[in-house]
Amino acid sequence: MKRKHALRRTKSGTSASSGDELSLTGARRYEAFGRVMAALATEADFIESCRDLTWWRGADHSWHIEWRDGPYASEVAALLAEQVRGRDGSLVTQAGPGRPGSAVLDVMGVRFELRAIDPMGRATVRARPGLWRLAEALDTTRRTNTRHPWEELLGG
């Protein structure tokens, strides 16, 4: 069965109807999600310290991001407000005060719900001695009695 989609005219031409996943609002949802994930991917502390990082789209077309351990949700909200920027400044508006376990943001008009399960906070993560940190592993200026992890990987 063929589906007909009503098209509407805009100044720039024709766009898909609101029921189409590739509509302007659908594209905006995915662009906002891409910007958020790109900002999180550049933060090694966040990526290294989180376990079970998951995300899904809510029934109201919002995005939910959840992780175990790692930073507080309020810290991630502040990080995103700083990192996700457009020409005119930040594209993130906090929808209320964030708590250690949860925070709600508006990114480019798209709602994001952040949820941290058993968070430790960034300060605790950085001070935790048992956590393997990529920055420390790649620091070639620090001399140790043991071989560096990169020396192990490269066979040097």
Side-chain angles (χ1 to χ4, degrees):
M1 181 169 138
K2 290 185 179 181
R3 295 173 82 186
K4 286 188 175 183
H5 293 287
L7 298 178
R8 64 176 185 249
R9 285 280 203 200
T10 63
K11 288 183 181 179
S12 61
T14 304
S15 66
S17 70
S18 60
D20 190 353
E21 189 61 32
L22 297 177
S23 69
L24 292 177
T25 56
R28 182 175 297 250
R29 283 186 204 107
Y30 285 100
E31 180 183 355
F33 178 71
R35 287 178 183 246
V36 165
M37 296 308 282
L40 295 178
T42 62
E43 289 295 316
D45 286 343
F46 178 77
I47 296 298
E48 289 178 13
S49 64
C50 293
R51 290 185 310 121
D52 303 328
L53 177 64
T54 59
W55 57 86
W56 64 95
R57 195 171 80 176
D60 60 348
H61 300 291
S62 63
W63 289 101
H64 298 258
I65 301 175
E66 183 179 277
W67 64 92
R68 293 188 178 279
D69 299 336
Y72 297 124
S74 57
E75 293 174 326
V76 173
L79 168 81
L80 291 174
E82 180 183 312
Q83 295 289 327
V84 180
R85 305 192 71 73
R87 290 184 197 148
D88 300 328
S90 180
L91 298 174
V92 177
T93 305
Q94 294 192 20
R99 299 186 321 242
S102 65
V104 178
L105 305 171
D106 180 281
V107 180
M108 299 172 54
V110 179
R111 181 182 170 99
F112 279 79
E113 295 186 24
L114 308 176
R115 183 168 177 221
I117 301 170
D118 299 326
M120 297 180 289
R122 290 181 97 172
T124 305
V125 167
R126 289 179 178 152
R128 193 173 181 187
L131 185 65
W132 182 78
R133 297 181 47 79
L134 183 61
E136 292 173 4
L138 297 176
D139 184 5
T140 59
T141 61
R142 192 172 46 99
R143 297 304 318 155
T144 62
N145 294 336
T146 60
R147 295 171 69 183
H148 288 284
W150 59 270
E151 291 174 323
E152 293 286 335
L153 289 172
L154 298 175

